[in-house]
Amino acid sequence: MKITFFDSQQKLDDYAASLIAETISSRKKPVLGLATGSTPIGIYKNLVQKHQRGELSFREVTTYNLDEYAGLTAAHHQSYAYFMNHHLFQHVDLPPQNRHIPNGTAADLLEECQEYDRMIAAQPIDLQLLGIGHNGHIGFNEPASGLTGATHVVDLQEETLQANARFFTSIDEVPKRAITMGVGAILKAKTILLVVRGADKAAIVKQALTGPITTHCPASLLQTHANVVVLLDQEAGRELLADEPSLLNMAHS
């Protein structure tokens, strides 16, 4: 696991985007796993700028998003399909048929999950972009006594509903279920790029990266992966650095 710290959001976004761009440029048919939320917005903006400058093409790229709310149409302004279109897809030359996001309004959600896994198995993910929830979830894999490896429908925990309520008029509007790529599918990615920012994530970052490996902190399972790249701003990494000051030698400033 390689951990790098950044003293500004712009530097972190630039570095993350450069890693994704390198993955795209170094493969004939690159496959990316994508994430939503506030964390990757600056990264996507940077990738769009690279494309607009003629430095990067998405014509041969295939993407798979981690998750989608159950019950929201792609046109809903809080769906992850809408988010991806707004922040990335409509600004680059990624073919529509190469963009994959779970269908939260599918008539048969179980079949939707199984088909998603079949597609990923046929096109293994080269680089998976991840964030981390305050409770240690990755994708929408919530803390539990056991975790599902395959793509599945999950009931969102109260902490996750509270965290996502800021995007809706009220917490009552936050969907209670979601389709999420399973931990097993996430861990099959050749490279995992974990990006975390903010002091409010400092405790869970330390727990996930240095604590015991447990399904009660799903992100801790990343410790079992052979190629994880972790990018932290200094606030997100402050508890980690307090206990492991030697890590500061890897800082990127």
Side-chain angles (χ1 to χ4, degrees):
M1 183 178 291
K2 179 184 177 183
I3 304 174
T4 308
F5 301 85
F6 296 83
D7 60 9
S8 79
Q9 180 169 317
Q10 184 63 53
K11 290 176 183 177
L12 191 160
D13 289 339
D14 290 349
Y15 191 80
S18 71
L19 293 179
I20 295 171
E22 182 181 353
T23 298
I24 293 173
S25 300
S26 64
R27 288 166 172 78
K28 288 186 66 176
K29 298 284 185 181
V31 182
L32 302 178
L34 301 180
T36 54
S38 57
T39 298
I41 289 176
I43 299 170
Y44 293 150
K45 181 178 180 181
N46 191 296
L47 289 171
V48 169
Q49 290 171 343
K50 289 180 183 296
H51 171 71
Q52 291 174 339
R53 292 195 298 264
E55 301 170 5
L56 187 65
S57 173
F58 289 77
R59 283 194 301 271
E60 301 300 325
V61 175
T62 297
T63 65
Y64 289 93
N65 264 74
L66 281 168
D67 41 33
E68 178 60 283
Y69 285 119
L72 295 192
T73 68
H76 191 285
H77 71 287
Q78 290 301 338
S79 74
Y80 292 153
Y82 184 96
F83 175 99
M84 291 306 307
N85 189 56
H86 178 72
H87 290 289
L88 181 64
F89 293 162
Q90 68 180 358
H91 307 292
V92 297
D93 58 345
L94 177 67
Q97 66 271 21
N98 291 3
R99 312 167 185 176
H100 301 290
I101 300 174
N103 179 4
T105 60
D108 187 333
L109 292 180
L110 176 59
E111 173 58 29
E112 175 68 14
C113 294
Q114 293 172 341
E115 175 60 20
Y116 209 66
D117 281 335
R118 285 192 287 267
M119 290 191 295
I120 294 173
Q123 296 178 296
I125 292 171
D126 294 305
L127 183 147
Q128 175 65 60
L129 177 62
L130 282 183
I132 183 174
H134 292 90
N135 61 2
H137 73 228
I138 48 178
F140 271 132
N141 293 282
E142 301 279 30
S145 58
L147 295 176
T148 302
T151 299
H152 60 286
V153 179
V154 62
D155 293 322
L156 302 181
Q157 293 187 2
E158 182 64 26
E159 188 172 358
T160 299
L161 296 176
Q162 292 286 351
N164 291 352
R166 68 188 189 276
F167 301 117
F168 293 83
T169 304
S170 74
I171 191 170
D172 295 332
E173 294 184 4
V174 183
K176 304 299 189 292
R177 297 194 303 161
I179 298 176
T180 185
M181 197 184 294
V183 172
I186 291 171
L187 293 177
K188 288 177 183 175
K190 296 169 189 174
T191 298
I192 292 175
L193 177 59
L194 176 65
V195 180
V196 193
R197 355 170 168 264
D200 59 323
K201 298 286 182 73
I204 197 62
V205 163
K206 179 185 173 184
Q207 181 182 346
L209 302 186
T210 66
I213 298 172
T214 169
T215 58
H216 292 287
C217 179
S220 69
L221 276 79
L222 297 177
Q223 295 181 44
T224 69
H225 194 279
N227 190 19
V228 179
V229 177
V230 182
L231 309 183
L232 307 173
D233 69 10
Q234 292 182 343
E235 288 299 304
R238 66 183 186 182
E239 290 196 21
L240 197 60
L241 285 172
D243 280 3
E244 301 287 345
S246 63
L247 291 174
L248 192 57
N249 294 330
M250 291 189 283
H252 180 93
S253 59

